[in-house]
Amino acid sequence: MNARVACVLAAVGGSLAQTQPSCESCHRAIVESWRASPHGNASRAASATAILGRFDEGHNLLESTKRPGVRFRMEQTGERFFQHGEAPGRKRSEAIDWVIGSGRRGQTYLYFKTGLLFQLPASWHVGTGRWIYSPGYDDGGMQFDRIITPECLTCHTTEARIEWAGGEMRYAPGAKLGLQCAKCHPDAADHAKQRGPSRWTRAESMKLCKECHGGVPGAREPAPDVHGNQVGLLEMSRCFKASPNLTCTTCHDPHRAERRVEVLSGKCVQCHEQQKCKQARDGQGCVGCHMAEQKSRKIVFQSYRSHRITARPGGQ
Ligand code: HEC
Ligand code: HEC
Ligand code: HEC
Ligand code: HEC
Ligand code: HEC
Ligand code: HEC
Ligand code: HEC
């Protein structure tokens, strides 16, 4: 590792700890739940806790199914985590610097080279507990050179800026990982001045979520997927159109993850009477029928909740 990379790494490590205490002294419960939440852990510096992928013998290999002899071997050496690419006559190794993904579904790993960020070839898939080729990488290839642009990081970090230094482009030192408080509450440092969430309109609340949950720009239609458009789907629903105040935060607390479907079904009956649905049965949540799980178009073994709430369960 050259001195410049070491410097960038030193600057990014530990940035979380330095920015939180001011909020924590008064909002302890929120900060604590946020720390364990997907937003709080959307990106992190590499560590044994942050990386979910396995490095132990028997679980640390990704072998090509197309090209015999091409494989990736994951190795932990002290505090460093390596991906070794091995092919007949070729070898390439890089260490993980950043982790993208709290690990709800998966994680992808990045490394620094000459101040820029690149994606590593092996990603971890949580559902199957296996290493997989990073999305878009060829089975059998030995690619280490996919560059990570600042656009990619706008939704996964609080701040990762590109700057010019000595005539070259690099990520500015001091990037802030995770989605920190300031990402969604930019003027919270001054409570007297801020117009906080309690005074946000519905449009303002939806606009915040849409920055990152509005799907891939240019996609033809809203669809549930890894980079799905929950905002577009919800806005197509009768529930949204016919009620003045339904937002994403009617069901989700952005500072914590709630994945129990029965609790989320409880949100429906804040507005609907169970008896009015002839199909509803005691003990069977509303969500299973009205927000059906749909298969991902991009990743074969994955499914997502449709946020288009309809009276035609399963259909659109
Ligand atoms: C000295 C204690 C204190 C500190 C430090 C503090 N807050 Fe607050 N905050 C409060 C209190 C009290 C309220 C509720 C009353 C109010 O709105 O002023 C509040 C309210 C809020 C609200 C809701 C405002 C609204 O109108 O809905 C947000 C958001 C918030 N704080 C974010 C933050 C963030 C982010 C930080 C760290 C940068 C922070 N606070 C630091 C005491 C504090
Ligand atoms: C700056 C980008 C950004 C904004 C703004 C944002 N999110 Fe997220 N959200 C993410 C990312 C990235 C993830 C995935 C984190 C992970 O698992 O690594 C996520 C995950 C989630 C999840 C999944 C939680 C789980 O159980 O895994 C929910 C629910 C969610 N966000 C709701 C919201 C709501 C509601 C808003 C608006 C108040 C919002 N988000 C605003 C980026 C954002
Ligand atoms: C427009 C905002 C946005 C951009 C740009 C974006 N992501 Fe995401 N990403 C999200 C959100 C939001 C989620 C969570 C979605 C969900 O659960 O439905 C997510 C999920 C993920 C996950 C899975 C996290 C987990 O815990 O399961 C990975 C890995 C990921 N993104 C990597 C990337 C990479 C790599 C790039 C750049 C090439 C990128 N994303 C660009 C918003 C974005
Ligand atoms: C992904 C965006 C996002 C992040 C990150 C985020 N918040 Fe919030 N926060 C919101 C939204 C949206 C609301 C309004 C929730 C609602 O409508 O009930 C909110 C409400 C609040 C409130 C007032 C209501 C309450 O629940 O007491 C406080 C205080 C607060 N946030 C503090 C924080 C602190 C401290 C952090 C960092 C640890 C943080 N937030 C991180 C989006 C976010
Ligand atoms: C904030 C209030 C609110 C919440 C929360 C809410 N809805 Fe609705 N929903 C409405 C309103 C208002 C309508 C329109 C009723 C009408 O047209 O008579 C509606 C309509 C519907 C319809 C008819 C859809 C159609 O296309 O005709 C279904 C089905 C439905 N809701 C199911 C649900 C389920 C399931 C949940 C929980 C996942 C839920 N709703 C949560 C307010 C809400
Ligand atoms: C009526 C309740 C309701 C509303 C409103 C709602 N969600 Fe969800 N959301 C759910 C349920 C139920 C799940 C599935 C929970 C699980 O399996 O962890 C979910 C899951 C998610 C996930 C995890 C990925 C997935 O698709 O399974 C994300 C991200 C998310 N919601 C974001 C949002 C955003 C952004 C909004 C606003 C546009 C929103 N949600 C509005 C009920 C709701
Ligand atoms: C077993 C699947 C199933 C479950 C569970 C279920 N629903 Fe339904 N629901 C349906 C179907 C199918 C329809 C449309 C056909 C009908 O009207 O009977 C419907 C219709 C509705 C409508 C529209 C009624 C109208 O007259 O327009 C609402 C509102 C609704 N459901 C709410 C709920 C709520 C709230 C729950 C949870 C307490 C729930 N449903 C649980 C299948 C289900």
Side-chain angles (χ1 to χ4, degrees), residues 3 43 78 119 121 153 161 165 177 213 233 255 262 296 305 308 315:
S43 50
Q119 185 169 26
L153 300 173
R161 253 182 333 105
L177 300 185
H213 294 282
L233 289 162
H255 315 111
E262 63 279 14
S296 166
R305 281 289 159 195
R308 182 168 181 188

Side-chain angles (χ1 to χ4, degrees), residues 8-39:
V8 171
L9 291 180
V12 296
S15 60
L16 278 179
Q18 287 150 22
T19 50
Q20 293 313 320
S22 65
C23 313
E24 188 166 16
S25 53
C26 300
H27 299 295
R28 187 169 304 277
I30 289 183
V31 174
E32 262 168 29
S33 74
W34 168 86
R35 264 204 194 106
S37 75
H39 284 151

Side-chain angles (χ1 to χ4, degrees), residues 38-39 101-102 104 155 179 183 208-209 212-213 248 252 259:
H39 284 151
S102 70
R104 178 193 172 93
C155 303
L179 302 181
K183 184 84 173 180
L208 173 64
C209 310
C212 306
H213 294 282
C248 308
H252 298 292
R259 293 174 182 170

Side-chain angles (χ1 to χ4, degrees), residues 135-281:
Y137 279 57
D138 294 336
D139 181 342
M142 242 242 284
Q143 235 177 309
F144 277 81
D145 52 2
R146 187 194 281 170
I147 195 156
I148 292 291
T149 62
E151 288 72 40
C152 173
L153 300 173
T154 49
C155 303
H156 286 278
T157 67
T158 300
E159 190 182 83
R161 253 182 333 105
I162 286 278
E163 66 175 18
W164 287 91
E168 281 178 66
M169 248 184 352
R170 63 160 193 183
Y171 277 98
K176 297 190 181 106
L177 300 185
L179 302 181
Q180 300 189 15
C181 315
K183 184 84 173 180
C184 300
H185 305 295
D187 44 7
D190 188 348
H191 280 53
K193 273 203 204 131
Q194 79 153 335
R195 218 173 122 264
S198 66
R199 276 175 285 165
W200 286 349
T201 61
R202 168 154 95 159
E204 283 170 323
S205 176
M206 295 304 291
K207 186 165 168 269
L208 173 64
C209 310
K210 193 176 181 177
E211 279 173 25
C212 306
H213 294 282
V216 185
R220 264 191 308 129
E221 64 204 63
D225 222 309
V226 202
H227 291 114
N229 185 350
Q230 289 93 3
V231 172
L233 289 162
L234 187 69
E235 285 179 351
M236 287 162 87
S237 312
R238 272 294 293 146
C239 303
F240 184 85
K241 291 183 184 153
S243 58
N245 54 0
L246 177 68
T247 64
C248 308
T249 59
T250 304
C251 296
H252 298 292
D253 177 346
H255 315 111
R256 73 170 66 242
E258 178 55 83
R259 293 174 182 170
R260 284 169 303 169
V261 168
E262 63 279 14
V263 174
L264 290 158
S265 286
K267 310 285 185 178
C268 314
V269 291
Q270 288 175 4
C271 299
H272 296 285
E273 286 175 55
Q274 176 165 340
Q275 305 87 282
K276 293 233 169 113
C277 176
K278 296 178 201 76
Q279 311 291 325
R281 304 280 177 272

